[in-house]
Amino acid sequence: MRNISDTITRLSAMRGQTGRQSHHDNLSDMGAFGSNPGALRARFHVADNLPRGAALVVVLHGCTQTAAGYDHGSGWSRLAAEKGFAVLFPEQQRANNANLCFNWFVPEDVTRDRGEALSIRQMIEAMVTKHGLDSRRIFITGLSAGGAMTAAMLATYPEVFAGGAIIAGLAYGSAATIPEAFDRMRGHGGPSRAELQRRLAEASPHNGSWPTISIWQGTADNTVVPSNADSILAQWQGVHGLGTSPDRNEMVDGQTRQVWSDADGNVLIEKYTVAGMAHGTPLKTVGDDGLGNAAPFMLDVGISSTRRMAAFWGLTSQDARNEASFQTAPSPLAATTALRTYVAPEKSRPARVGLVEDPRPDDLRSSINGIGKVIEDALRAAGLMR
């Protein structure tokens, strides 16, 4: 096991970086938006001249990050102001997770109409209603733990989203405990391809069309290893009824893009493999199309995932080969549809250890039982966890 004091030191440093990022804040706070059983904070950006019927992009930050910090790095609010759409940034709270990770590995938080998943769903409904947004054009993206929570939202509420993009994330239902989460991040074990597809298909009562999916992964990511992108791809190939081989391979800004399309040529899944990139969101910060700012886990590698995702969803004008035909959208949400009310338990939600990097060498994976408690006790002793 990595020395606990070293782990605490690294987490403390990351916590300091998160605080510094908060100075770059273009976001506003949302007031009450529902029962909020996941106890999340809701932040957003809407331009003054935003037209009615605009699209909405939901953005989920990674561990140790804040909504404002991730926005500053990725450039989503700037692009939204330029192109005329709204952005919503759910934000994790330290009382829920000491390292500000969305709890993608906790069943109660990734089940339809429960926990953090329901909180995010309620935020979306509040944004659509208050700002007159187009419920047929709602998209979601996230990095790392935010990417895994993006996968959970797409699985549990597929009728809500027209498309989603997962950056260095994990497949829905791949882990249900902290030990399993560490294993999956490192590419060890996990459900079979058939089981992953079954869990996605059974995560909601949905029987309509499914969101389009964009998958982003760096080849040098040792935190969430590349095999996780393959698991996400396999999971979504199932519900879309696609084969394993891509319809085409191409180079975009020097990186590999693979595409899977339906019989009419509409792109349903795309996968970007970024050569030599470690764990983080791919950025292109210089040039006429530069966007965002490099920071921890925000990596300037010469391709803007933000711009490419927006183009894939038809929100911007971009190279035609990067655009998906978006002719079949999920059924729109009726503006008057009431959300199922979830009453949070009276007792406070327990704090949970954050996941940034697996502190275990491979040869000690068999002794994982109890690791969550050991780390939690150490973090509490250091004042990093309640």
Side-chain angles (χ1 to χ4, degrees):
M1 187 191 310
R2 184 188 297 273
N3 185 280
I4 287 293
S5 63
D6 174 61
T7 300
I8 294 170
T9 299
R10 289 184 295 110
L11 292 178
S12 298
M14 291 174 182
R15 186 176 181 180
Q17 291 167 353
T18 300
R20 287 193 294 273
Q21 291 173 1
S22 65
H23 294 295
H24 308 284
D25 195 341
N26 295 323
L27 307 179
S28 301
D29 284 295
M30 183 185 294
F33 53 84
S35 58
N36 191 16
L40 301 178
R41 183 184 184 189
R43 312 212 65 208
F44 70 97
H45 179 83
V46 173
D48 293 336
N49 59 348
L50 185 74
R52 290 192 65 83
L56 173 66
V57 176
V58 183
V59 184
L60 303 177
H61 62 80
C63 295
T64 77
Q65 295 176 319
T66 63
Y70 192 81
D71 178 46
H72 178 68
S74 62
W76 272 110
S77 66
R78 175 185 154 190
L79 187 64
E82 290 176 1
K83 303 300 181 181
F85 58 89
V87 283
L88 167 66
F89 287 80
E91 185 176 79
Q92 184 58 282
Q93 302 299 287
R94 207 170 292 280
N96 297 332
N97 186 293
N99 212 30
L100 299 179
C101 306
F102 289 101
N103 288 303
W104 62 271
F105 49 90
V106 177
E108 71 183 71
D109 282 313
V110 293
T111 298
R112 185 179 173 96
D113 295 340
R114 293 180 62 187
E116 292 178 8
L118 179 55
S119 290
I120 296 170
R121 174 66 184 85
Q122 290 174 335
M123 294 178 200
I124 293 170
E125 183 71 8
M127 285 288 294
V128 170
T129 301
K130 180 176 181 180
H131 300 287
L133 305 178
D134 186 351
S135 61
R136 298 167 300 177
R137 293 193 298 150
I138 300 174
F139 307 91
I140 187 168
T141 181
L143 165 68
S144 192
M149 184 58 77
T150 294
M153 292 303 298
L154 291 164
T156 54
Y157 295 103
E159 78 281 6
V160 172
F161 301 102
I166 302 167
I167 308 172
L170 297 97
Y172 173 73
S174 57
T177 65
I178 290 174
E180 287 182 357
F182 278 132
D183 271 339
R184 305 305 174 259
M185 290 164 65
R186 292 290 300 275
H188 300 304
S192 67
R193 176 189 179 92
E195 178 63 16
L196 285 174
Q197 292 178 347
R198 184 190 68 79
R199 292 182 185 185
L200 173 58
E202 295 181 358
S204 76
H206 183 62
N207 59 6
S209 57
W210 291 82
T212 60
I213 301 296
S214 181
I215 303 167
W216 293 73
Q217 180 69 49
T219 62
D221 191 337
N222 294 320
T223 301
V224 178
V225 301
S227 62
N228 286 288
D230 297 330
S231 295
I232 297 168
L233 175 62
Q235 191 168 56
W236 283 89
Q237 284 171 334
V239 294
H240 279 302
L242 300 171
T244 57
S245 298
D247 294 306
R248 70 176 187 269
N249 295 275
E250 59 193 21
M251 299 301 290
V252 177
D253 287 342
Q255 306 303 331
T256 301
R257 179 184 185 237
Q258 297 173 295
V259 170
W260 288 259
S261 304
D262 64 15
D264 296 323
N266 300 313
V267 179
L268 301 180
I269 301 177
E270 66 171 8
K271 180 188 177 189
Y272 279 90
T273 303
V274 184
M277 188 180 76
H279 189 63
T281 293
L283 306 175
K284 182 180 181 182
T285 63
V286 298
D288 294 340
D289 59 346
L291 182 68
N293 298 273
F297 309 118
M298 310 301 291
L299 309 178
D300 192 348
V301 293
I303 182 170
S304 173
S305 57
T306 302
R307 287 196 184 277
R308 290 290 168 182
M309 291 170 192
F312 182 58
W313 297 331
L315 301 179
T316 66
S317 296
Q318 189 82 359
D319 190 326
R321 66 182 178 177
N322 191 50
E323 294 180 1
S325 296
F326 190 70
Q327 300 174 355
T328 304
S331 302
L333 298 171
T336 58
T337 299
L339 292 171
R340 183 182 303 175
T341 302
Y342 177 87
V343 180
E346 291 297 323
K347 64 180 182 180
S348 61
R349 291 163 51 88
R352 302 187 181 97
V353 63
L355 298 180
V356 175
E357 181 179 351
D358 187 346
R360 302 165 298 132
D362 292 344
D363 60 357
L364 287 183
R365 287 187 293 111
S366 61
S367 61
I368 187 61
N369 291 335
I371 187 66
K373 183 179 186 303
V374 172
I375 296 177
E376 287 180 0
D377 290 345
L379 289 169
R380 289 191 183 95
L384 292 176
M385 178 181 257
R386 293 182 181 178

